[in-house]
Amino acid sequence: MGDQKEMIRRWIKQNRGKGIRLLKKLVQEPSLQGNEGSSQAIVIEKCRELGLEIDIWEPNGTTLLNHPYFVSPRNNFMNSPNVVGVLKGSGGGKSLLLNGHIDVVPEGDKANWEYDPYSAEVKDGKLYGRGSTDMKGGNVALLLALEAIKEMGIRLKGDVIFQSVIEEESGGAGTLAAILKGYKADGAIIPEPTNMKIFPKQQGSLWFKVHVRGRSAHGGTRYEGVSAIEKSMIVIKHLLKLEMIRNASISDPLYNNTPIPVPINIGKINGGNWPSSVPDLVTIEGRMGVAPEETIDNAKTEMNKWLRKLPEIDPWFLDYPVELDWFGARWVPGTIDPEHELLHLLRKSFKEVKETEPVIEASPWGTDGGLLTAVGEIPTLVFGPGTTEVAHYPNEYIELDRMFEVAEIIACTILAWCEVSED
Amino acid sequence: MGDQKEMIRRWIKQNRGKGIRLLKKLVQEPSLQGNEGSSQAIVIEKCRELGLEIDIWEPNGTTLLNHPYFVSPRNNFMNSPNVVGVLKGSGGGKSLLLNGHIDVVPEGDKANWEYDPYSAEVKDGKLYGRGSTDMKGGNVALLLALEAIKEMGIRLKGDVIFQSVIEEESGGAGTLAAILKGYKADGAIIPEPTNMKIFPKQQGSLWFKVHVRGRSAHGGTRYEGVSAIEKSMIVIKHLLKLEMIRNASISDPLYNNTPIPVPINIGKINGGNWPSSVPDLVTIEGRMGVAPEETIDNAKTEMNKWLRKLPEIDPWFLDYPVELDWFGARWVPGTIDPEHELLHLLRKSFKEVKETEPVIEASPWGTDGGLLTAVGEIPTLVFGPGTTEVAHYPNEYIELDRMFEVAEIIACTILAWCEVSED
């Protein structure tokens, strides 16, 4: 196998241009929600070239709607196909699922971008563009790994199931549809932007809204009213205290280097409608982290109970309790046995390629790995070439060297996990 | 004069229907900014009926624009005429200016109104509608006072200058234009909704915006960012401390019953744009009260200096100082000598009509009285039948009994101040 690994390394080195061209083509298609078709067409073309057994389908919104894990702002997936390409093994080996999402988040104000977000400009070893880091660079790494194995004429025992799914950014309807269609495996890798850290545990998250009430009055007699802004400050402090309590109970060493393992982020605040009136309503919106071993329901219950304690701090909340809404997206947490063979092999491959130990941590955000674990019962690792810091932001980029390194590490992991057929 | 007062009282009592009809007509015209014409037409008709010397003009925006006290969201006053009607005296008496604004604030969501805001429905002694309390009821009280005097055949020595001005709700461009046109007097009364309290001192106010910066990050790694929401909580606390300090220095007995004489009201807050991102910008908007003897410039300087102290509380503000904008409306404060004859006479008339001492306080909000005092140098009192509590709110109403009482009190004050001619 040492020879094969060396061949793979050489092939990837010689075919960097091919990998960059593929990533460019993918980034140049703005695969925003509802617009994934043209990007998927490029993926399909590549899967054909690799000789994979291809399955293309638009998820059925009506079926998904009845599933307890379904979360999406839509239930019509016309022109938003999932793509699965299977590299059949000769038998007797373990199967591996390689999952990447094709959807990207909106680019925001283009004025904040140095290059056009869909230009896929390459400069100083970085490829710029929306989706480069999150996560088309990771997807290309998967496809390069498969291409290298094919080009080297290597036959595997176990199946490799490559998935290019829609909707990760809105809560995972694409991956859920693939699971429900029957795609399972003995293990899975998702190359989300981990900056080459390995995440055996993944944080879940869910969005919430809290409505805080006050009582209006003229600003000149503000003492006759009750400011919803001042009351919302109490609520925010209270939520930050809940964050502290929840995190104090986390002793997992995978979170040793994380200042706040499962944060409660207050992302938005809106309230009042006139400078000289006392505001009678403030709405705050945020994201609640869910610990890898926790359930979504448990997190919801904890916050709900905690907010019911507000009257102990301020009797105002007795008559005007805050309202809590769970809305928008949600990502299920996930975890894998720390002694799992796939983790061991990925770690080993990393060490062989990078000549150093990988950083192993718990993820600060959710991925489709939560669904693979919770619904698909597939042990899942998250490991990819992009970086969180630039994901979802202007001037998103990926370091191309990392993409090729991940391609090589994943190719080596595939050989070890699926095993090479001697036929 | 005792007889004359009794005659006025009787006339007003017998002509309640007339007063209510006039108020109904005025409330039924939605005299929102830019749309004052049809309401003013009703006022003009009444002024003609009273035999006043009438002056009608649209203020010249270009001239106003150069005046340091001009504040308005517009500088074109087409179809927004000011109306002045003068009851000429026989000479030798003191002149009195009676000033009321015809503009009303928007009605907001009509769903919150029990009756249509422009229906002028009368129920249980109250007339409902936008502008009833603020301040068409006050204006009708002025016109009734003049009508009673005319109908009783009373001739005055001093002039009475009745003004129905535009733009009070946006900072007083109408009153400023009237001052600049030369309308001055020895004293002035404005029947804004004081709930029949007499305000010899009027609070000024101005609107501000504060932009508070943070540093964005993914909500899952929120510790890598700096929350502009958390920083804005520091800024709000800091502003409330400024309010405390400013109010601690106010010892005026006219503020004895006012919990916060010159409040700093935080009316609006907006920040962040995604539940799972750390917000990098929060904007708060508010109203700063200006003490009657204070200048607008002094208030601005105090707040500006105070916000410059934020780095002492949190070094974040050293690198990311908050930005302070003064925007929108502004009302100049005003004050009258506590021994002023006009105050004495109004007080006396109040006592005669109501058989009790009036409450004398400093106003919790600004009126055009600030401009009359500061620019027109006219000693001004604010005293009217409406109530602040319902001004600017849904289901605004006025108690009709109060309107007629104010009409009588003002008529009596006119007789005493302008003096009755013996001719």
Side-chain angles (χ1 to χ4, degrees), chain A residues 217 222 243 265 269-271 277, chain B residues 222 243 265 269-271 277 393:
Chain A
R222 76 170 191 83
E243 181 192 62
N265 181 69
I269 187 163
N270 280 294
S277 292
Chain B
R222 75 170 192 83
E243 181 193 63
N265 180 68
I269 187 163
N270 280 293
S277 291
Y393 287 97

Side-chain angles (χ1 to χ4, degrees), chain A residues 26-42:
Chain A
L26 285 172
V27 169
Q28 282 164 357
E29 296 297 335
S31 50
L32 297 155
Q33 190 183 76
N35 194 34
E36 304 88 341
S38 53
S39 234
Q40 292 289 51
I42 295 164

Side-chain angles (χ1 to χ4, degrees), chain A residues 235-255:
Chain A
V235 175
I236 290 170
K237 265 196 190 164
H238 192 59
L239 287 172
L240 292 179
K241 198 169 168 194
L242 174 63
E243 181 192 62
M244 211 184 64
I245 292 170
R246 280 171 54 80
N247 283 281
S249 71
I250 291 177
S251 57
D252 192 323
L254 291 183
Y255 276 120

Side-chain angles (χ1 to χ4, degrees), chain A residues 64-89:
Chain A
L64 287 174
L65 214 51
N66 295 319
H67 197 278
Y69 281 88
F70 176 66
V71 178
S72 174
R74 57 175 175 163
N75 56 47
N76 183 335
F77 299 95
M78 197 132 70
N79 299 323
S80 297
N82 263 345
V83 176
V84 175
V86 180
L87 179 66
K88 285 298 283 182

Side-chain angles (χ1 to χ4, degrees), chain A residues 45-123:
Chain A
E45 193 193 332
K46 192 73 199 173
C47 288
R48 280 198 219 288
E49 204 185 307
L50 296 178
L52 307 182
E53 284 180 16
I54 301 173
D55 186 5
I56 306 161
W57 80 100
E58 290 160 354
N60 183 321
T62 318
T63 312
L64 287 174
L65 214 51
N66 295 319
H67 197 278
Y69 281 88
F70 176 66
V71 178
S72 174
R74 57 175 175 163
N75 56 47
N76 183 335
F77 299 95
M78 197 132 70
N79 299 323
S80 297
N82 263 345
V83 176
V84 175
V86 180
L87 179 66
K88 285 298 283 182
S90 61
K94 288 194 286 283
S95 59
L96 185 65
L97 196 153
L98 302 173
N99 171 295
H101 67 85
I102 197 70
D103 57 315
V104 298
V105 295
E107 68 276 9
D109 186 351
K110 286 199 183 185
N112 295 329
W113 288 77
E114 200 175 339
Y115 308 113
D116 182 279
Y118 302 107
S119 64
E121 201 74 38
V122 175
K123 203 184 169 189

Side-chain angles (χ1 to χ4, degrees), chain A residues 373-393:
Chain A
T373 314
V375 186
E377 296 176 338
I378 307 166
T380 303
L381 293 170
V382 182
F383 164 71
T387 52
T388 317
E389 289 73 15
V390 298
H392 296 213
Y393 287 97

Side-chain angles (χ1 to χ4, degrees), chain B residues 97-235:
Chain B
L97 198 153
L98 301 173
N99 171 294
H101 67 85
I102 197 69
D103 56 315
V104 298
V105 296
E107 68 276 10
D109 186 350
K110 286 198 184 187
N112 295 329
W113 289 77
E114 201 175 337
Y115 308 113
D116 182 280
Y118 302 106
S119 65
E121 201 74 39
V122 176
K123 203 183 170 190
D124 299 333
K126 294 171 181 166
L127 188 146
Y128 286 83
R130 172 55 81 231
S132 55
T133 228
D134 186 9
M135 60 173 288
K136 289 173 175 174
N139 298 346
V140 169
L142 298 180
L143 289 164
L144 279 177
L146 292 178
E147 190 163 5
I149 289 170
K150 178 182 173 267
E151 291 296 316
M152 296 306 100
I154 298 167
R155 184 86 201 276
L156 301 169
K157 288 185 183 171
D159 296 348
V160 180
I161 303 159
F162 168 79
Q163 298 186 330
S164 177
V165 297
I166 61 164
E167 292 276 297
E168 190 277 338
E169 296 292 357
S170 310
T175 287
L176 180 62
I179 297 168
L180 298 181
K181 215 177 176 204
Y183 287 106
K184 303 230 169 172
D186 297 315
I189 296 174
I190 301 180
E192 286 268 15
T194 69
N195 198 17
M196 302 197 70
K197 293 175 185 173
I198 297 174
F199 291 162
K201 300 198 180 194
Q202 300 158 63
Q203 180 172 153
S205 67
L206 61 168
W207 289 1
F208 61 89
K209 256 184 214 177
V210 181
H211 305 281
V212 185
R213 308 217 161 260
R215 191 173 58 232
S216 200
H218 189 287
T221 51
R222 75 170 192 83
Y223 39 82
E224 287 171 0
V226 174
S227 166
I229 292 176
E230 286 175 48
K231 295 302 175 194
S232 73
M233 287 164 65
I234 297 171
V235 175

